[in-house]
Amino acid sequence: MRSKIIISDDFDGIKNELEIELKHNVKFFISDDFLIENANNVINEAYISEEQDKLLVLMAKSFRIEAQNSLLKVIEEPPRNIFFYIVAPSKNALLPTICSRLIVEYKNRKRKKISSGLNLRQLELKEIYNFIQTIETKERSDDFGKNELKEILSVIILEALEAGFKFSEDELSYFYKIVNLASLNSKAHSILTPLLLNILNKSKK
């Protein structure tokens, strides 16, 4: 085992993985903002004598500078059998003095494959209307931004291709343009409506 920094925002995933792997030999210090009192708790835990290897996992969205500075000595000269994992969403959240003392590992969140939920081969106007209404509701509640819109557009286009729909070069070029339009904060209905009507038209042929 080696102490290291893990760059990831998947705190739950990493915690579950370590609990399964190490069982009782791991202790977590999780907070949104890692403060000096959090650092003191880590240091106190580190100096509790251990006969077996023990991993101390520090997880936070941000780390206060004074808290990081207080950890430098114990990270550089850890007590016997003590190891550290520092988990942060970005390397920029940590001081260069911390990063220089530990190896850095990047772990991307495992993304679930999403589905549009649309039956493109038997698409109906009512289904299109209800789908767009659902997206608009999410959009108004800030649960659906331009990244989510780009993702659902890409999913629909991919599902249409996988379903065997044939598109002309001009149509494929148009699809590329509407995905880019999503980056300009265009409203979901103005982009999804022509795409789904195009697919509806093809499904009726």
Side-chain angles (χ1 to χ4, degrees):
M1 186 184 297
R2 294 181 63 184
S3 294
K4 62 184 173 183
I5 293 166
I6 299 175
I7 303 302
S8 174
D9 62 354
D10 187 12
F11 290 180
D12 289 339
I14 291 173
K15 184 175 184 291
N16 292 337
E17 182 182 312
L18 291 174
E19 284 177 332
I20 293 169
E21 182 182 344
L22 299 175
K23 295 182 180 177
H24 303 299
N25 296 330
V26 57
K27 188 170 181 65
F28 296 92
F29 299 85
I30 304 172
S31 59
D32 284 334
D33 192 12
F34 194 86
L35 308 173
I36 188 70
E37 49 262 41
N38 301 116
N40 290 335
N41 290 336
V42 170
I43 293 168
N44 290 336
E45 183 67 32
Y47 283 104
I48 296 174
S49 179
E50 295 290 341
E51 292 298 322
Q52 295 181 330
D53 289 350
K54 182 170 68 175
L55 177 64
L56 306 184
V57 183
L58 291 55
M59 293 182 171
K61 295 176 182 177
S62 62
F63 290 77
R64 293 293 180 92
I65 291 175
E66 62 273 20
Q68 293 186 64
N69 283 331
S70 70
L71 291 172
L72 284 174
K73 186 176 186 299
V74 73
I75 288 174
E76 192 167 32
E77 299 176 4
R80 181 171 171 269
N81 298 329
I82 298 296
F83 299 88
F84 299 92
Y85 282 2
I86 300 177
V87 186
S90 168
K91 190 175 177 181
N92 293 333
L94 302 171
L95 294 171
T97 47
I98 292 284
C99 295
S100 66
R101 286 162 168 77
L102 301 170
I103 60 171
V104 179
E105 177 182 329
Y106 291 84
K107 279 196 173 185
N108 295 324
R109 181 189 294 269
K110 292 181 180 178
R111 296 174 63 86
K112 294 181 181 178
K113 184 178 179 181
I114 70 166
S115 166
S116 69
L118 295 166
N119 185 350
L120 298 181
R121 271 294 172 195
Q122 298 179 8
L123 199 58
E124 300 290 344
L125 278 172
K126 183 177 180 181
E127 188 180 7
I128 291 174
Y129 175 80
N130 290 337
F131 179 79
I132 292 175
Q133 286 290 102
T134 300
I135 296 296
E136 286 185 313
T137 299
K138 291 181 180 179
E139 199 173 42
R140 285 193 293 271
S141 64
D142 294 327
D143 287 337
F144 195 90
K146 60 183 179 182
N147 290 330
E148 288 76 18
L149 178 56
K150 287 172 66 177
E151 186 172 34
I152 197 64
L153 285 168
S154 299
V155 166
I156 292 170
I157 294 166
L158 180 59
E159 287 178 350
L161 292 169
E162 290 176 344
F165 288 94
K166 303 297 182 184
F167 299 104
S168 68
E169 188 174 330
D170 285 344
E171 286 172 326
L172 291 172
S173 177
Y174 170 70
F175 294 160
Y176 175 77
K177 287 178 181 176
I178 64 174
V179 171
N180 284 338
L181 277 175
S183 300
L184 302 176
N185 295 319
S186 297
K187 292 296 183 182
H189 73 88
S190 66
I191 296 178
L192 286 168
T193 301
L195 171 62
L196 292 173
L197 288 176
N198 180 295
I199 295 172
L200 173 66
N201 183 53
K202 286 186 179 294
S203 71
K204 299 302 181 185
K205 292 181 179 179

